[in-house]
Amino acid sequence: MIQGTQNQDIQLQPKARRFSKGNLLALGFTFAVSAISYGLWSASSAQASLVIPKNQVQLATVERGSFTRDLSVQGRIVAANAPTLISQEAGQIQYLKQPGEAVTLGDLLAVVSSPQLENELKQQQATLASMESDFERATLLARELQLDMEQIQNTAQVNLLAAQRELARAEQSIKVGVIRQLDYDVAKDKLVQAELEFDHAKRKVSLASDKLQFEKKSGAAALQRQTLVVAELERKQAALHITAPVTGQVGNWLVEQHAHVLAGAPLITVIDLSQYEAELAIQESYIRDLAVGMPVEVNLGNQQLKGQLSHISPEVKDNLVTARVRFSQNDSTSLRQNQRLSARVIIEQKDNVLRIRRGDFVASGASRIAYQVNQDLAVKTPVVLGASSVQYVEILQGAKEGDQWVISNLDEFKQQDRVQLN
């Protein structure tokens, strides 16, 4: 028989493993930390219904400080005084100064030739000369008539004196009985007749004097009226010589050289270089916030000028409102007409307010919600936002100093209550 190997095998008993107290404590601590980490991760993952990479969002901290409500706009430099000269009458234009050429007050810039106005002026001047001759002639005739009336008055006066002397002699004669009563009565009648003729002559002289005064007054009024007509035509003719109203430089020709222009047509602009203003184009939605006198900061490259709103146009064009800024200090040597600029209109200033950097969360959250971040968990929070500036947004409710918010676009958060940021 073949024997097995039972007698060759030796059965060994396992030795009991002993753990030291230090090993047991380390093992327990590791297990506890793992359990807590897993619990926190499980809790946060269970509460967050959406996970977004943290590097895709922008964060900012709520802080307390001063808040300046302002408005950033674009504009250009314009001359505060840049009159546009127009033609008083239709005619042909001839420019005597080139665009950009320096001019002083009163310099002749252009001449408009108007044959029609010149012909009308000559006709009215001839009419005036004719009326002056007629007036002088009428005055002479009236004076001649007055002299005739005065001669008649003098004759009547002489006749009156003769009748008075005749009556006196008749009275003496009738007392002594030299003449008859009939002759005495005739002398008395002659005196009455002479008195009537003298009185009539005086009234005719007075009437002739009144007539002379009337003719003078009427003729003088007609002459004055015609003189005004001629003076107006002479003014229009003089206005055809276009002169510089200010000291500066010629802007632009608004029509071509030797072109035919109509009455009232713009011809040329003159720029006063002594003072410039800024012209801003502002969205009409901000018009209710603007007021004359608001401070403005104008940036021209590395140069910054300060000023204030001096004029706000009442008219809206293409959803824009035009406003003018008057500089408090002006360096005319560094400014140029139509130079582009950016400006900051300061609407309101506040101190000690909660604020946060401005971002897309304002529009995407409709100024009513924000996501507050706590340990990589973004929680949807109702908020009330106030005014906005170029850099900051005012927070009225829903935050405290030191809170951290998501300030980027909130559309990716899909209105979820909790979002995990990895």
Side-chain angles (χ1 to χ4, degrees):
M1 294 179 59
I2 300 175
Q3 295 182 354
T5 60
Q6 293 85 351
N7 295 325
Q8 298 178 0
D9 296 333
I10 298 174
Q11 186 176 1
L12 299 176
Q13 296 295 329
K15 294 181 179 180
R17 186 175 182 180
R18 297 180 179 180
F19 291 93
S20 66
K21 186 176 180 181
N23 291 335
L24 290 175
L25 290 176
L27 181 63
F29 179 76
T30 303
F31 178 77
V33 171
S34 301
I36 292 173
S37 300
Y38 178 78
L40 291 175
W41 178 84
S42 300
S44 62
S45 300
Q47 293 175 357
S49 56
L50 182 65
V51 178
I52 296 178
K54 192 173 184 179
N55 59 2
Q56 293 184 4
V57 299
Q58 293 180 353
L59 303 178
T61 303
V62 177
E63 59 185 19
R64 185 174 294 276
S66 62
F67 176 82
T68 301
R69 184 185 175 197
D70 52 7
L71 175 64
S72 180
V73 294
Q74 302 295 317
R76 63 190 181 97
I77 293 294
V78 296
N81 185 18
T84 299
L85 307 180
I86 65 173
S87 174
Q88 297 289 336
E89 293 292 327
Q92 188 179 31
I93 181 67
Q94 180 183 3
Y95 291 111
L96 304 178
K97 298 289 185 179
Q98 298 293 326
E101 189 173 350
V103 294
T104 57
L105 178 64
D107 284 354
L108 185 62
L109 306 179
V111 177
V112 178
S113 301
S114 178
Q116 181 179 0
L117 177 61
E118 184 177 356
N119 183 47
E120 184 179 0
L121 175 60
K122 290 181 179 179
Q123 290 180 3
Q124 296 298 333
Q125 287 174 338
T127 301
L128 177 61
S130 176
M131 291 179 65
E132 289 175 346
S133 298
D134 293 341
F135 175 68
E136 293 178 359
R137 184 181 298 107
T139 302
L140 291 175
L141 291 176
R143 290 180 59 189
E144 183 180 6
L145 177 61
Q146 185 178 12
L147 288 175
D148 292 340
M149 295 300 101
E150 290 177 354
Q151 183 181 7
I152 294 174
Q153 179 183 356
N154 294 334
T155 302
Q157 187 176 10
V158 171
N159 293 335
L160 176 61
L161 293 175
Q164 289 174 348
R165 288 194 298 269
E166 185 67 26
L167 179 60
R169 286 193 297 268
E171 288 177 349
Q172 293 177 358
S173 299
I174 199 170
K175 288 181 181 180
V176 296
V178 176
I179 62 173
R180 298 174 297 172
Q181 182 66 34
L182 179 61
D183 295 332
Y184 176 73
D185 292 338
V186 170
K188 289 177 62 176
D189 293 340
K190 287 183 178 180
L191 177 60
V192 173
Q193 182 180 1
E195 289 176 348
L196 293 174
E197 289 177 353
F198 179 69
D199 182 66
H200 185 68
K202 287 195 299 182
R203 286 187 290 172
K204 290 187 70 174
V205 169
S206 177
L207 180 62
S209 178
D210 293 342
K211 184 178 181 180
L212 177 61
Q213 295 299 325
F214 174 78
E215 292 293 340
K216 285 183 177 181
K217 185 177 180 179
S218 177
L223 279 177
Q224 184 179 10
R225 183 169 55 252
Q226 185 62 25
T227 301
L228 292 176
V229 172
V230 173
E232 175 64 15
L233 292 175
E234 289 176 345
R235 184 196 66 78
K236 289 184 177 181
Q237 187 181 46
L240 296 181
H241 292 72
I242 311 299
T243 58
V246 295
T247 299
Q249 69 179 21
V250 177
N252 294 316
W253 291 354
L254 303 180
V255 294
E256 296 296 329
Q257 179 76 288
H258 301 302
H260 182 79
V261 296
L262 300 177
L267 301 177
I268 191 173
T269 58
V270 182
I271 302 172
D272 184 0
L273 301 178
S274 62
Q275 185 176 5
Y276 284 101
E277 291 183 350
E279 185 178 80
L280 308 180
I282 303 175
Q283 291 289 336
E284 63 174 324
S285 58
Y286 295 102
I287 188 63
R288 294 183 179 179
D289 299 326
L290 299 180
V292 174
M294 284 185 172
V296 181
E297 296 178 356
V298 176
N299 294 312
L300 294 153
N302 296 328
Q303 184 182 13
Q304 185 180 79
L305 300 177
K306 295 184 180 297
Q308 60 182 6
L309 289 180
S310 61
H311 173 74
I312 301 174
S313 174
E315 183 181 7
V316 179
K317 291 184 178 180
D318 299 329
N319 299 325
L320 296 175
V321 176
T322 301
R324 284 288 187 100
V325 177
R326 182 172 299 147
F327 297 118
S328 54
Q329 77 274 3
N330 184 33
D331 184 6
S332 60
T333 59
S334 62
L335 300 181
R336 295 293 181 268
Q337 179 81 348
N338 292 323
Q339 187 176 359
R340 305 303 300 179
L341 59 89
S342 61
R344 178 171 170 254
V345 182
I346 301 174
I347 300 175
E348 184 182 10
Q349 288 185 331
K350 298 180 181 180
D351 294 326
N352 194 28
V353 298
L354 284 178
R355 66 183 187 181
I356 193 168
R357 283 196 295 117
R358 185 173 178 174
D360 294 336
F361 80 101
V362 178
S364 57
S367 299
R368 294 193 300 269
I369 65 170
Y371 279 85
Q372 182 176 335
V373 179
N374 186 11
Q375 296 182 357
D376 294 336
L377 182 65
V379 181
K380 182 179 178 182
T381 305
V383 296
V384 178
L385 302 181
S388 298
S389 68
V390 176
Q391 295 180 335
Y392 295 100
V393 179
E394 182 185 12
I395 304 174
L396 301 179
Q397 295 179 10
K400 63 181 183 298
E401 187 177 356
D403 288 349
Q404 193 175 41
W405 283 12
V406 176
I407 63 171
S408 56
N409 196 306
L410 302 181
D411 291 340
E412 298 180 357
F413 288 69
K414 300 179 181 180
Q415 298 292 327
Q416 298 299 318
D417 294 335
R418 295 175 180 272
V419 176
Q420 180 68 33
L421 301 179
N422 283 344

